[in-house]
Amino acid sequence: MTYTPTRGPHPAGSPPAAPEPPAGPGAAPRRRGWTDGAHRTRFSATTEPGRLRLIGASLAVLVVAFGAVTAWQITERSAAADHVVHHSAPLSADAAEIYRSLADADATVAGGFLLGGEEPQAVSDRYQKDIATAARLITQAAASSEGTGAAAQRLATLNEQLPYYVQQVATAQADNRQGLPLGGAYLSYADQRMQMKGGLLAAADDLYRIETDRLNRDYADAEALPWAAWVLGALVLATLVWAQRRHFRRTNRVFNQGLLAASAASAVVLVWLVAGHSVARARLSDSYSHGAESMQILNSARISMLQARGNENLTLVARGSGDAYEDGFNDDMRKLAGANPSGVGGQLAQALALADDSAGRGPLDAAVTSVRIWRGRHTAARASDDGGDYTTAVAQVIGGKDSAGKTVTQTTGQCFDKVDADLDRAVAQEQREFREAADSGRGALSLLPAGAALLAVLAAAGAALGIGRRLSEYR
């Protein structure tokens, strides 16, 4: 007896196995694994346990997504607020101080030049301090500034041109001590390097504007509304309410402890998110309007004041050919205090409008008074110079004896020093207000990312337990 090679003998007493029908065009295809899974999922969705599993999984995913998005968005805003306090605001302030130091150095050396011969030690010390401050802050800004863009280019310009300016001033002072007229020419070259387009002050002003723009962008990022987290939070609460209502309609049980705990945790996250971000946004807005914005205006006022003083001194250094410097002085004064010498306008009026207490208004009121006196004394000095009494004009600007040998005790330099001190006090006050409000706004967000993530995990666990308890009734 022989057997086919593909089949062995069938056991005794059992019928032979029927041969497998060949697959034909009408045969049903075999189900694959993923098709079977989809079929089982569709089938389970038609049963109550299957629906409960889908609801539980959906709730868990939504709650976790809500916590993750909240943590992500608030972390970004908290980082931007931290950037405002510790990076962009200090860089903006440093850039303004670089400009102030350079402009004050230029005005100081021009004033010392008017004295002739050896400049007083106080003048030399002030000039050296200004140059040292500018060099230190330029180095500091180069180390702190991000990237190699526009800010880095301005810092490179400052680093490159400052040594040449110092060298030209040193040459001018050496010639002036020897009574050589060439000293005036070197001083003019140094001033051109300071004032010209693409020069030191232009680079410092550009740097200040770049850093201020960065500060404003950081403020915008920190105050941006977290719409995605808000929408997800509302969706999570709505879904949890729907799930509990569905549970009540099918079981007549009022509460499901797990779903109730998930709802409470999600509600806490949403309320914390709205309240925390609202407080942070309000405090950051306050730090801007009564701190950063005020400081920007005050820094602009200090720039106008320093430029006015430099032009006032250079008008006399030019000895009869300083009409351009005199026009510059008048333009700077209009920017600083308005066109009316007896009124309050310009940058000082803007700063006064933003000052919200006596500590902020006091220095500004004093500065307004000093500017009025300065304008009056400047007019008297110009009258002396235009009348041919150069010696008296110089004494009225920087002090000393007039042409009659009398010591002039009321000078424009005294007014300049007073305005400078008043504005410095005003800036310090606004910096304190800025830091206090900005730190408060940043603090309102500090715990929210970690708290939202933790509560989201607890809410997801509560939802899973609530649905799991309901599922246990079907076992």
Side-chain angles (χ1 to χ4, degrees):
M1 182 179 229
T2 60
Y3 302 95
T4 60
T6 58
R7 295 184 181 274
H10 56 81
S14 62
E20 294 182 0
R30 291 184 178 181
R31 283 201 181 96
R32 300 181 181 179
W34 66 269
T35 308
D36 289 341
H39 174 74
R40 284 193 296 269
T41 300
R42 286 195 299 269
F43 177 76
S44 65
T46 63
T47 66
E48 182 62 13
R51 294 190 191 98
L52 288 173
R53 291 188 185 94
L54 288 176
I55 291 171
S58 300
L59 284 173
V61 169
L62 277 175
V63 170
V64 171
F66 172 43
V69 170
T70 298
W72 163 57
Q73 291 199 309
I74 296 303
T75 297
E76 282 194 337
R77 283 147 184 78
S78 182
D82 188 75
H83 211 257
V84 165
V85 175
H86 294 119
H87 192 79
S88 51
L91 278 176
S92 178
D94 285 349
E97 185 62 21
I98 289 171
Y99 191 105
R100 191 210 67 79
S101 297
L102 292 173
D104 189 66
D106 198 46
T108 299
V109 76
F113 212 80
L114 290 173
L115 296 171
E118 187 77 24
E119 65 272 4
Q121 188 62 39
V123 173
S124 179
D125 289 346
R126 181 167 180 167
Y127 167 75
Q128 293 296 338
K129 180 181 177 181
D130 285 333
I131 294 299
T133 299
R136 174 178 58 81
L137 291 177
I138 289 169
T139 302
Q140 185 174 305
S144 302
S145 185
E146 298 176 347
T148 58
Q153 294 175 6
R154 303 311 187 275
L155 288 167
T157 299
L158 291 167
N159 270 318
E160 178 184 351
Q161 295 196 16
L162 184 58
Y164 289 107
Y165 172 81
V166 172
Q167 182 181 3
Q168 288 175 335
V169 167
T171 303
Q173 289 174 331
D175 289 343
N176 191 49
R177 293 186 193 108
Q178 300 175 37
L180 300 177
L182 193 59
Y186 274 107
L187 183 65
S188 178
Y189 296 151
D191 180 70
Q192 288 176 11
R193 184 175 293 277
M194 183 69 75
Q195 304 281 349
M196 70 181 182
K197 182 178 180 181
L200 284 163
L201 289 183
D205 185 56
D206 287 345
L207 179 65
Y208 172 67
R209 296 181 188 280
I210 290 168
E211 299 299 347
T212 300
D213 287 343
R214 182 177 298 170
L215 172 62
N216 293 335
R217 289 196 300 272
D218 286 337
Y219 262 111
D221 291 341
E223 295 178 3
L225 297 176
W227 287 111
W230 287 358
V231 170
L232 266 177
L235 179 60
V236 164
L237 284 179
T239 305
L240 283 167
V241 169
W242 170 82
Q244 291 174 87
R245 183 172 178 272
R246 181 182 185 279
H247 174 75
F248 170 72
R249 292 181 64 183
R250 280 166 172 73
T251 65
N252 288 325
R253 296 170 187 167
V254 178
F255 297 116
N256 179 293
Q257 294 178 350
L259 293 178
L260 190 62
S263 300
S266 300
V268 168
V269 173
L270 185 57
V271 171
W272 190 0
L273 170 63
V274 173
H277 187 269
S278 297
V279 170
R281 197 167 190 261
R283 295 300 289 157
L284 287 170
S285 178
D286 187 59
S287 75
Y288 181 80
S289 60
H290 296 295
E293 186 179 11
S294 296
M295 284 191 290
Q296 291 173 20
I297 293 173
L298 288 170
N299 286 328
S300 298
R302 295 174 85 184
I303 288 171
S304 299
M305 173 202 66
L306 289 163
Q307 289 178 332
R309 180 60 177 173
N311 283 323
E312 184 178 51
N313 290 338
L314 289 169
T315 301
L316 293 175
V317 171
R319 287 181 174 269
S321 58
D323 290 344
Y325 293 123
E326 177 62 15
D327 291 340
F329 172 86
N330 292 326
D331 289 341
D332 294 329
M333 275 296 173
R334 281 192 289 270
K335 292 177 185 176
L336 176 63
N340 184 2
S342 61
V344 182
Q347 292 151 343
L348 290 178
Q350 295 175 39
L352 275 169
L354 290 174
D356 58 347
D357 55 26
S358 58
R361 286 190 294 269
L364 292 172
D365 288 333
V368 168
T369 301
S370 297
V371 167
R372 287 174 183 163
I373 298 172
W374 183 0
R375 279 177 152 177
R377 293 179 184 178
H378 177 82
T379 300
R382 293 310 313 141
S384 298
D385 189 28
D386 292 340
D389 193 351
Y390 180 78
T391 301
T392 298
V394 170
Q396 290 172 326
V397 171
I398 63 173
K401 297 183 182 296
D402 60 15
S403 57
K406 296 181 180 180
T407 300
V408 177
T409 59
Q410 296 180 339
T411 67
T412 62
Q414 294 171 340
C415 298
F416 164 74
D417 290 339
K418 183 66 168 56
V419 176
D420 190 28
D422 292 334
L423 292 182
D424 189 61
R425 286 168 51 211
V427 168
Q429 172 62 24
E430 297 303 326
Q431 283 178 332
R432 284 192 293 270
E433 292 189 2
F434 158 78
R435 190 60 184 262
E436 179 183 351
D439 279 339
S440 175
R442 187 169 56 97
L445 299 175
S446 59
L447 298 177
L448 183 51
L454 177 60
L455 287 172
V457 171
L458 294 177
L465 289 174
I467 295 298
R469 185 172 181 180
R470 179 79 176 94
L471 276 171
S472 66
E473 298 173 359
Y474 289 88
R475 292 172 186 163

